[in-house]
mmCIF file of all heavy atoms in Angstrom:
data_model
loop_
_atom_site.group_PDB
_atom_site.id
_atom_site.type_symbol
_atom_site.label_atom_id
_atom_site.label_comp_id
_atom_site.label_asym_id
_atom_site.label_seq_id
_atom_site.Cartn_x
_atom_site.Cartn_y
_atom_site.Cartn_z
ATOM 1 N N ARG A 24 -11.487 7.134 12.899
ATOM 2 C CA ARG A 24 -10.095 6.632 12.999
ATOM 3 C C ARG A 24 -10.015 5.393 12.290
ATOM 4 O O ARG A 24 -9.048 4.971 11.714
ATOM 5 C CB ARG A 24 -9.715 6.346 14.455
ATOM 6 C CG ARG A 24 -9.814 7.716 15.362
ATOM 7 C CD ARG A 24 -8.649 8.669 14.914
ATOM 8 N NE ARG A 24 -8.686 9.821 15.729
ATOM 9 C CZ ARG A 24 -8.350 11.036 15.248
ATOM 10 N NH1 ARG A 24 -7.896 11.077 13.985
ATOM 11 N NH2 ARG A 24 -8.416 12.125 16.066
ATOM 12 N N LEU A 25 -11.219 4.556 12.371
ATOM 13 C CA LEU A 25 -11.125 3.293 11.622
ATOM 14 C C LEU A 25 -11.060 3.509 10.065
ATOM 15 O O LEU A 25 -10.269 2.644 9.476
ATOM 16 C CB LEU A 25 -12.374 2.484 11.927
ATOM 17 C CG LEU A 25 -12.502 1.020 11.217
ATOM 18 C CD1 LEU A 25 -11.343 0.214 11.603
ATOM 19 C CD2 LEU A 25 -13.863 0.479 11.562
ATOM 20 N N VAL A 26 -11.620 4.406 9.593
ATOM 21 C CA VAL A 26 -11.516 4.731 8.164
ATOM 22 C C VAL A 26 -10.128 5.191 7.761
ATOM 23 O O VAL A 26 -9.632 4.755 6.789
ATOM 24 C CB VAL A 26 -12.593 5.886 7.814
ATOM 25 C CG1 VAL A 26 -12.482 6.253 6.275
ATOM 26 C CG2 VAL A 26 -14.021 5.294 7.995
ATOM 27 N N THR A 27 -9.636 5.982 8.702
ATOM 28 C CA THR A 27 -8.164 6.455 8.412
ATOM 29 C C THR A 27 -7.190 5.238 8.451
ATOM 30 O O THR A 27 -6.280 5.177 7.563
ATOM 31 C CB THR A 27 -7.847 7.514 9.478
ATOM 32 O OG1 THR A 27 -8.733 8.621 9.353
ATOM 33 C CG2 THR A 27 -6.532 8.068 9.308
ATOM 34 N N ALA A 28 -7.369 4.341 9.458
ATOM 35 C CA ALA A 28 -6.574 3.209 9.492
ATOM 36 C C ALA A 28 -6.686 2.279 8.147
ATOM 37 O O ALA A 28 -5.596 1.918 7.696
ATOM 38 C CB ALA A 28 -6.829 2.459 10.824
ATOM 39 N N CYS A 29 -7.880 2.123 7.787
ATOM 40 C CA CYS A 29 -8.124 1.296 6.623
ATOM 41 C C CYS A 29 -7.459 2.008 5.418
ATOM 42 O O CYS A 29 -7.051 1.322 4.532
ATOM 43 C CB CYS A 29 -9.455 1.086 6.383
ATOM 44 S SG CYS A 29 -10.288 -0.050 7.613
ATOM 45 N N ALA A 30 -7.639 3.182 5.320
ATOM 46 C CA ALA A 30 -7.071 3.946 4.152
ATOM 47 C C ALA A 30 -5.439 3.912 4.209
ATOM 48 O O ALA A 30 -4.874 3.816 3.095
ATOM 49 C CB ALA A 30 -7.571 5.403 4.206
ATOM 50 N N GLY A 31 -5.009 4.027 5.326
ATOM 51 C CA GLY A 31 -3.558 3.868 5.484
ATOM 52 C C GLY A 31 -3.010 2.537 5.137
ATOM 53 O O GLY A 31 -1.978 2.332 4.475
ATOM 54 N N ALA A 32 -3.843 1.428 5.464
ATOM 55 C CA ALA A 32 -3.432 0.076 5.078
ATOM 56 C C ALA A 32 -3.569 -0.127 3.649
ATOM 57 O O ALA A 32 -2.700 -0.787 2.927
ATOM 58 C CB ALA A 32 -4.351 -0.912 5.919
ATOM 59 N N ALA A 33 -4.545 0.476 2.939
ATOM 60 C CA ALA A 33 -4.723 0.402 1.557
ATOM 61 C C ALA A 33 -3.614 1.063 0.780
ATOM 62 O O ALA A 33 -3.136 0.589 -0.176
ATOM 63 C CB ALA A 33 -6.083 0.912 1.096
ATOM 64 N N LEU A 34 -3.124 2.331 1.359
ATOM 65 C CA LEU A 34 -2.139 3.003 0.777
ATOM 66 C C LEU A 34 -0.773 2.239 0.866
ATOM 67 O O LEU A 34 -0.073 2.182 -0.172
ATOM 68 C CB LEU A 34 -1.890 4.346 1.487
ATOM 69 C CG LEU A 34 -0.807 5.214 0.873
ATOM 70 C CD1 LEU A 34 -1.240 5.671 -0.465
ATOM 71 C CD2 LEU A 34 -0.731 6.457 1.799
ATOM 72 N N LEU A 35 -0.578 1.591 2.004
ATOM 73 C CA LEU A 35 0.647 0.841 2.245
ATOM 74 C C LEU A 35 0.649 -0.454 1.215
ATOM 75 O O LEU A 35 1.626 -0.659 0.569
ATOM 76 C CB LEU A 35 0.777 0.291 3.546
ATOM 77 C CG LEU A 35 1.950 -0.642 4.029
ATOM 78 C CD1 LEU A 35 3.201 0.145 3.878
ATOM 79 C CD2 LEU A 35 1.788 -1.027 5.338
ATOM 80 N N LEU A 36 -0.494 -1.024 1.089
ATOM 81 C CA LEU A 36 -0.645 -2.114 0.180
ATOM 82 C C LEU A 36 -0.387 -1.708 -1.281
ATOM 83 O O LEU A 36 0.262 -2.377 -2.000
ATOM 84 C CB LEU A 36 -1.952 -2.775 0.302
ATOM 85 C CG LEU A 36 -2.234 -4.056 -0.606
ATOM 86 C CD1 LEU A 36 -1.335 -5.150 -0.163
ATOM 87 C CD2 LEU A 36 -3.726 -4.501 -0.443
ATOM 88 N N GLY A 37 -0.839 -0.542 -1.690
ATOM 89 C CA GLY A 37 -0.730 -0.012 -2.950
ATOM 90 C C GLY A 37 0.871 0.403 -3.169
ATOM 91 O O GLY A 37 1.375 0.106 -4.274
ATOM 92 N N ALA A 38 1.578 0.866 -2.188
ATOM 93 C CA ALA A 38 2.971 1.091 -2.355
ATOM 94 C C ALA A 38 3.787 -0.057 -2.449
ATOM 95 O O ALA A 38 4.732 -0.125 -3.417
ATOM 96 C CB ALA A 38 3.369 2.011 -1.128
ATOM 97 N N VAL A 39 3.397 -1.089 -1.788
ATOM 98 C CA VAL A 39 4.133 -2.297 -1.965
ATOM 99 C C VAL A 39 3.896 -3.002 -3.362
ATOM 100 O O VAL A 39 4.845 -3.469 -3.989
ATOM 101 C CB VAL A 39 3.668 -3.461 -0.976
ATOM 102 C CG1 VAL A 39 4.209 -4.769 -1.132
ATOM 103 C CG2 VAL A 39 4.080 -3.010 0.502
ATOM 104 N N ALA A 40 2.631 -2.849 -3.866
ATOM 105 C CA ALA A 40 2.383 -3.382 -5.214
ATOM 106 C C ALA A 40 3.152 -2.541 -6.191
ATOM 107 O O ALA A 40 3.694 -3.088 -7.210
ATOM 108 C CB ALA A 40 0.825 -3.253 -5.471
ATOM 109 N N VAL A 41 3.334 -1.326 -6.148
ATOM 110 C CA VAL A 41 3.923 -0.355 -6.978
ATOM 111 C C VAL A 41 5.417 -0.657 -7.002
ATOM 112 O O VAL A 41 6.104 -0.807 -8.023
ATOM 113 C CB VAL A 41 3.723 1.075 -6.729
ATOM 114 C CG1 VAL A 41 4.747 1.944 -7.404
ATOM 115 C CG2 VAL A 41 2.375 1.594 -7.044
ATOM 116 N N ALA A 42 5.914 -0.974 -5.797
ATOM 117 C CA ALA A 42 7.384 -1.302 -5.707
ATOM 118 C C ALA A 42 7.676 -2.747 -6.380
ATOM 119 O O ALA A 42 8.658 -2.850 -6.951
ATOM 120 C CB ALA A 42 7.741 -1.539 -4.114
ATOM 121 N N PHE A 43 6.722 -3.648 -6.300
ATOM 122 C CA PHE A 43 6.915 -4.903 -6.984
ATOM 123 C C PHE A 43 7.017 -4.819 -8.533
ATOM 124 O O PHE A 43 7.648 -5.351 -9.338
ATOM 125 C CB PHE A 43 5.957 -5.994 -6.622
ATOM 126 C CG PHE A 43 6.105 -6.697 -5.321
ATOM 127 C CD1 PHE A 43 5.244 -6.679 -4.285
ATOM 128 C CD2 PHE A 43 7.295 -7.467 -5.252
ATOM 129 C CE1 PHE A 43 5.631 -7.225 -3.112
ATOM 130 C CE2 PHE A 43 7.674 -8.159 -4.023
ATOM 131 C CZ PHE A 43 6.807 -8.069 -3.056
ATOM 132 N N VAL A 44 6.025 -3.856 -8.961
ATOM 133 C CA VAL A 44 5.916 -3.599 -10.317
ATOM 134 C C VAL A 44 7.163 -2.984 -10.857
ATOM 135 O O VAL A 44 7.843 -3.257 -11.909
ATOM 136 C CB VAL A 44 4.583 -2.761 -10.705
ATOM 137 C CG1 VAL A 44 4.689 -2.175 -12.225
ATOM 138 C CG2 VAL A 44 3.437 -3.613 -10.488
ATOM 139 N N LEU A 45 7.699 -2.029 -10.097
ATOM 140 C CA LEU A 45 8.926 -1.285 -10.493
ATOM 141 C C LEU A 45 10.128 -2.080 -10.435
ATOM 142 O O LEU A 45 11.051 -1.902 -11.275
ATOM 143 C CB LEU A 45 9.006 0.025 -9.731
ATOM 144 C CG LEU A 45 8.122 1.122 -9.802
ATOM 145 C CD1 LEU A 45 8.257 2.273 -8.919
ATOM 146 C CD2 LEU A 45 8.049 1.554 -11.384
ATOM 147 N N ARG A 46 10.186 -2.988 -9.604
ATOM 148 C CA ARG A 46 11.298 -3.935 -9.370
ATOM 149 C C ARG A 46 11.307 -4.921 -10.536
ATOM 150 O O ARG A 46 12.518 -5.143 -11.058
ATOM 151 C CB ARG A 46 11.223 -4.613 -8.027
ATOM 152 C CG ARG A 46 12.495 -5.458 -7.751
ATOM 153 C CD ARG A 46 12.228 -6.298 -6.541
ATOM 154 N NE ARG A 46 11.225 -7.173 -6.766
ATOM 155 C CZ ARG A 46 10.899 -8.298 -6.066
ATOM 156 N NH1 ARG A 46 11.756 -8.630 -5.084
ATOM 157 N NH2 ARG A 46 10.049 -9.113 -6.509
ATOM 158 N N ASP A 47 10.319 -5.615 -10.815
ATOM 159 C CA ASP A 47 10.323 -6.691 -11.766
ATOM 160 C C ASP A 47 10.136 -6.159 -13.219
ATOM 161 O O ASP A 47 10.609 -6.804 -14.074
ATOM 162 C CB ASP A 47 9.008 -7.605 -11.439
ATOM 163 C CG ASP A 47 9.275 -8.277 -10.205
ATOM 164 O OD1 ASP A 47 10.425 -8.528 -9.791
ATOM 165 O OD2 ASP A 47 8.171 -8.825 -9.544
#
């Protein structure tokens, strides 16, 4: 479960980074 939570957090962080790149 910890690995899944960390992977989900990394995915969320990556999605936010992609959103910034697409926006700017």
Side-chain angles (χ1 to χ4, degrees):
R24 301 288 180 218
L25 179 62
V26 173
T27 303
C29 290
L34 182 64
L35 180 64
L36 182 63
V39 169
V41 167
F43 277 122
V44 168
L45 292 177
R46 185 188 66 159
D47 293 339

